[in-house]
Structures are given as structure tokens and as C-alpha cells.
Amino acid sequence: MRLQFALFPAVVLLSACQPQSADVYVDKSWVRLSAAPGQPAAAYFRLKGGVKDDSMFAVHVDQAIKVELHETMAGADGMFSMKPLDSVTVPARATVMFAPGGKHAMLFGLSDDVKPGTTLTLTFVFKSGLRLQDTAMVVGAGDPAPKL
Ligand SMILES: [Cu+2]
């Protein structure tokens, strides 16, 4: 009896250490402010798929009036444009990067007290019902991407 009780915590520990998360998760979040006041900032992050496909359709930021998901596209004329994304599929066990030049979340009407060196909490909403939060490092318009 005594031995069984002693073994129980070890089993719990093992299942908590599995390398693959059952659910999708998000990390490496950061935000680059715009050069001009009043212009939107852009948020970047990494989505890691769980054991099932999921999709992310909204990002909330308390300090922003509105957040949109966008993808930067290179047009035939060599000009870059952005198209809005309704949602982004995160296939099982896959990694989906939001990075400069590609997918990003656009933060409109960001509060003036969000300065380089501060952090923002991003809330990600998934079709599965999952809501995840990640803390994003805020950098200035000309700053390099933070090492995360
Ligand atoms: Cu955009």
C-alpha cells in the first residue's frame, strides 16, 4: 500500500513532461511599434500545433482598439500589400510563424503608454475554444527583432 502511494506522484510527473502538448500553444511573442504616431503596430509570434488541427481567429490586446490578422503579399509589380486573414489554420504538430514580411497581427489604436521596453499581454482565441495568453516584448520601429 505504502509503495503504491509513493509511485503515484512519479506517474503524474511523467505525463506532465511529454514533449508534445495536447493542445496548440503560442510563444515567442513580440510587438514592433510604428514609426509614426497613430499608425498601427505589428505583433509577431509562434503557434505550435497540438495533437489535433486547430485554428486561431482572433487576438485581443487590452491596450489596442482593434486587432486584425494580416498577411503581407508581394504583388506582381513588386509592391507589398496586406490582406486580412479571417483565421489561420494550425495543423497538428505543425509550427506557424507570424513574422515580419509574412503573417502578423495588426494592432490599431494602441495606447500611447505602450513604449519600447514594455510588455503587452496578447490573448489568442482558437476555434477549439482554447484561449491562450502570451507576453509580448515591445520594441521601437527601428529596433531589431528581440532574441526570444
Ligand atoms: Cu498588416
Side-chain angles (χ1 to χ4, degrees), residues 8 10 12-13 19 27 30 37 52 61 66 70 72 88 90 139-140:
F8 183 68
V12 172
L13 203 67
D27 63 2
W30 59 286
K52 286 191 210 144
V61 179
K66 183 176 71 163
H70 287 175
T72 302
V88 174
V90 189
V139 303

Side-chain angles (χ1 to χ4, degrees), residues 40-42 68-72 82-83 102 104-108:
E68 289 181 3
L69 301 177
H70 287 175
E71 179 147 37
T72 302
M82 295 190 294
K83 73 165 188 184
H104 55 279
M106 206 116 220
L107 280 46
F108 294 91

Side-chain angles (χ1 to χ4, degrees), residues 36-84:
Q39 292 297 303
Y44 307 105
F45 41 86
R46 179 173 75 170
L47 298 169
K48 297 274 270 178
V51 296
K52 286 191 210 144
D53 295 355
D54 204 341
S55 80
M56 193 273 288
F57 64 90
V59 177
H60 298 306
V61 179
D62 282 351
Q63 294 88 339
I65 290 171
K66 183 176 71 163
V67 181
E68 289 181 3
L69 301 177
H70 287 175
E71 179 147 37
T72 302
M73 319 279 291
D77 53 2
M79 297 291 283
F80 287 92
S81 61
M82 295 190 294
K83 73 165 188 184

Side-chain angles (χ1 to χ4, degrees), residues 4 29 32-33 39 63 77 98 114 117 120 129 134-135:
Q4 279 175 351
S29 298
R32 183 178 271 142
L33 300 175
Q39 292 297 303
Q63 294 88 339
D77 53 2
F98 276 60
V114 179
L120 281 176
D134 197 37
T135 300

Side-chain angles (χ1 to χ4, degrees), residues 22-35:
D23 290 319
V24 63
Y25 76 88
V26 58
D27 63 2
K28 299 188 184 291
S29 298
W30 59 286
V31 168
R32 183 178 271 142
L33 300 175
S34 67

